[in-house]
Amino acid sequence: MQIQSRFRSHWLAALLLSLTFWSGLPGPVHAQEELRIATSYKLMTLDPHYANLNENTSLLSHIYERLVYQDDRLDLKPGLAVSWRAVSDRQWEFKLRENVRFHDGSPLTADDVVYTIERIRDFLKSPSGGFRSYLTGIESVSAPDPLTVVINTKGNIPNLPLSFSSIFVMNRPAKGFETTEDLNAGHPPNGTGPYRFESWSSGESLRLARNDDYWDGKPAWSKVTFRVIENPAARVAALSTGEVDVADAIPARDVASLKERGARVASVGAARVNFVQFDVARDTLPGVTDKSGEPIANPFKNPLVRRALTLATDRGILVDKILAGYGTAAAQVFPNGLPGTSAKLLPEAPNYDEAKMLLAKAGFPDGFNLVLAGPASRYPGDAESLQAVAQSWARIGVNAQPAAAPFSVFNTKRAAGDYGVWYGGTSGEAVDIILHTLLASPDPERGTGALNFGKYRNEAFDAMLARAESIAVGPERNAALAQATELVMADQPIIPLYHFHHIVGYGSRIGSYVLHPRGWTTAMQTLPAME
């Protein structure tokens, strides 16, 4: 997904379409101009391995590349590795692409891949685990020659190549491991990607310059500037006035007005889920009280309460009103029809009477009070979704006080255990990746549960997921994942809300923009208009 030529087949069709609507004659693309992008993604670090967040994945993909990548159908394609094969149940071999160079001129070798794996697995200490969960099954890694990487695993990992579609390859330094602090303090990021690092102002901007020596051909844009504009209305305004060429995370409610002002809009269903997550581990929870404000025992330990709140959640309002139709109601972690999903899991209409009966059966006939936390301006409709869920729950006597905060604040507080129930979102390469990180029992040794902040544990589900992950990619694996999903969703550790659609707006200088279901925003997806 990182290299421009990978979108060329899509771009050709888009260009033909754009020429139908644009009166100008075809001419050379704006290969020397700067691309200006307004993004909601606030890059938190220049360390490509520190945090497994979409903002890092998206913006740092200009600088760094992966061994393999996922195309817009989530199929694996060659990246820095031209091929890979399972030598045995416990060994994989990756062959690297020839004549690839880092931005400092040094050649890409297998030793750089070894360094990357060892840095993540053995050195880096990320608060949320970073990418370590992808590599915990690796026993050893070696480089028998400059273009061959051999990976020995602790057990059979038939889906190992998928893990490397998320991991950026770094250049091995002269000695030791590069620290996150050094990278953030000014050590220039040194990748193999289509754009070179120029400057970064945390929370404000990222400036890039074209890598003229890029192995897959010269990128289209000479300069790329990302402006971090967290407020959706401000991003829309910047696009409308021509201050930027592209704006991501466009609210659905602004699509019509943008089109009226001459901008064009692209959208695609997201390979992700937004949900409500419960803390099911602690005996008492912050912000959860009875109607008089006194602390009560953790109600979310009771599956009847979780089921009642699920039945009291109106997903239709979220999708139809808040997302203006740019979304799909959710009953599992990926939209129905993608590999590993269950055809049996369908979104339910709210049933407030049954929800009230379940609450009463659980010992809460009058309901209770809670604080419903969530991020503001990170996901489409996030703050509004908090309000809508709170209004739905009020109908069964659960008084929820919405508490939206900037994502950096929310993320820190969630990790610290300051919330008892919260709205969140996550994306992943495949169904099993999300199940592995969001719903599997937290286990640092196995690398599971990195996003399971609710500390949910289900041994039967863990066993079913482990069995599914031991099966080679294909129909049998997909069926096993679907069965595991059915089991865990029946217990309601989360309430899946919706799969929103990624919406990007672009102006007259852009010929086409190719969206990816993972939600990345990159210059490589952006083709200059013809003159």
Side-chain angles (χ1 to χ4, degrees), residues 255 265-270 326 501-506 513-516:
V255 168
V265 170
S267 70
V268 69
Y326 283 90
H501 294 178
H502 298 297
I503 308 175
V504 169
Y506 55 98
Y513 188 91
V514 181
L515 273 163
H516 193 281

Side-chain angles (χ1 to χ4, degrees), residues 20 52 66 152 227 262 329 340-341 351-352 362 368 370 375 423 469 504:
T20 304
N52 188 7
R66 311 168 179 89
N152 295 305
R227 286 176 52 193
T341 57
N351 187 329
Y352 300 108
F368 51 89
L370 59 84
Y423 163 99
E469 291 179 322
V504 169

Side-chain angles (χ1 to χ4, degrees), residues 12 38 49 89 138 150 167 174 200 204 225 255 317 326 346-347 353 452 461-462 470 508-509 518:
L12 180 58
H49 301 152
D89 284 350
I138 292 177
V150 174
I167 293 173
W200 170 57
E204 295 182 11
T225 298
V255 168
I317 287 178
Y326 283 90
L346 301 173
D353 291 336
N452 185 353
F461 166 69
D462 291 340
S470 71
S508 59
R509 294 179 64 241
R518 294 285 305 280

Side-chain angles (χ1 to χ4, degrees), residues 4 24 48 73 85 107 129 133 136 140 226 248 270 279 333 335 340 407-408 410 436 444 459 509 525:
Q4 212 142 354
R73 295 173 182 84
R85 68 187 182 98
S133 63
T136 52
S140 64
F226 283 91
D248 66 15
D279 185 322
V333 298
F407 179 70
S408 57
F410 165 78
H436 191 90
E459 291 183 3
R509 294 179 64 241
Q525 296 164 252

Side-chain angles (χ1 to χ4, degrees), residues 42-159:
K42 186 177 181 180
L43 184 63
M44 296 181 177
T45 176
L46 291 176
D47 187 337
H49 301 152
Y50 187 75
N52 188 7
L53 297 170
N54 236 22
E55 46 264 63
N56 286 12
T57 299
S58 182
L59 300 186
L60 293 181
S61 68
H62 296 79
I63 301 168
Y64 297 98
E65 295 182 288
R66 311 168 179 89
L67 291 179
V68 298
Y69 80 99
Q70 284 183 294
D71 66 11
D72 55 2
R73 295 173 182 84
L74 303 186
D75 293 326
L76 293 183
K77 301 294 181 182
L80 293 178
V82 293
S83 65
W84 50 91
R85 68 187 182 98
V87 179
S88 69
D89 284 350
R90 296 196 175 195
Q91 188 177 86
W92 282 85
E93 180 186 85
F94 290 78
K95 290 290 187 180
L96 301 186
R97 192 177 295 277
E98 296 182 12
N99 302 317
V100 176
R101 293 192 173 273
F102 287 93
H103 296 162
D104 67 356
S106 59
L108 168 74
T109 70
D111 196 42
D112 298 308
V113 179
V114 173
Y115 167 77
T116 294
I117 293 172
E118 292 177 342
R119 182 176 189 266
I120 296 171
R121 188 191 61 185
D122 305 329
F123 171 75
L124 204 61
K125 306 297 182 186
S126 170
S128 63
F131 294 90
R132 188 172 298 164
S133 63
Y134 294 92
L135 303 178
T136 52
I138 292 177
E139 186 170 67
S140 64
V141 55
S142 60
D145 65 60
L147 295 178
T148 303
V149 179
V150 174
I151 297 174
N152 295 305
T153 61
K154 298 174 184 177
N156 184 21
I157 308 179
N159 216 24

Side-chain angles (χ1 to χ4, degrees), residues 187-447:
H187 284 205
N190 182 29
T192 61
Y195 292 91
R196 300 171 182 267
F197 174 81
E198 279 203 338
S199 67
W200 170 57
S201 178
S202 179
E204 295 182 11
S205 65
L206 175 68
R207 298 181 186 278
L208 306 164
R210 181 169 57 209
N211 177 12
D212 288 328
D213 297 322
Y214 184 52
W215 61 266
D216 198 36
K218 185 179 291 187
W221 304 96
S222 61
K223 300 280 187 181
V224 179
T225 298
F226 283 91
R227 286 176 52 193
V228 178
I229 304 179
E230 293 187 89
N231 183 276
R235 286 196 302 278
V236 170
L239 179 61
S240 299
T241 59
E243 293 177 40
V244 298
D245 304 302
V246 176
D248 66 15
I250 297 295
R253 62 177 178 270
D254 293 317
V255 168
S257 63
L258 271 178
K259 289 181 176 179
E260 288 174 1
R261 298 174 197 173
R264 284 174 289 169
V265 170
S267 70
V268 69
R272 60 172 306 118
V273 65
N274 284 69
F275 53 85
V276 170
Q277 189 172 32
F278 304 104
D279 185 322
V280 299
R282 290 180 286 176
D283 293 332
T284 59
L285 298 174
V288 180
T289 70
D290 62 18
K291 290 298 183 70
S292 65
E294 294 298 317
I296 58 174
N298 181 353
F300 308 129
K301 286 189 173 186
N302 191 330
L304 293 178
V305 173
R306 303 197 297 268
R307 176 62 180 158
L309 292 173
T310 299
L311 285 172
T313 301
D314 190 343
R315 297 171 176 85
I317 287 178
L318 302 178
V319 170
D320 296 336
K321 302 298 183 183
I322 294 174
L323 299 180
Y326 283 90
T328 307
Q332 53 191 314
V333 298
F334 261 16
N336 284 28
L338 287 179
T341 57
S342 169
K344 297 178 182 178
L345 292 175
L346 301 173
E348 297 177 276
N351 187 329
Y352 300 108
D353 291 336
E354 185 178 347
K356 286 180 182 178
M357 287 190 291
L358 289 174
L359 270 188
K361 188 175 180 180
F364 299 98
D366 299 321
F368 51 89
N369 298 337
L370 59 84
V371 173
L372 179 60
S377 300
R378 178 170 177 80
Y379 308 112
D382 47 16
E384 297 94 333
S385 293
L386 286 180
Q387 296 284 348
V389 170
Q391 290 171 9
S392 289
W393 288 359
R395 297 184 61 170
I396 63 169
V398 176
N399 296 328
Q401 177 188 342
F407 179 70
S408 57
V409 175
F410 165 78
N411 199 35
T412 300
K413 288 190 171 184
R414 178 179 60 177
D418 290 352
Y419 303 135
V421 56
W422 55 89
Y423 163 99
T426 188
S427 63
E429 302 84 350
V431 163
D432 54 303
I433 298 294
I434 296 186
L435 295 176
H436 191 90
T437 57
L438 182 65
L439 296 174
S441 299
D443 185 340
E445 250 184 58
R446 290 180 57 230

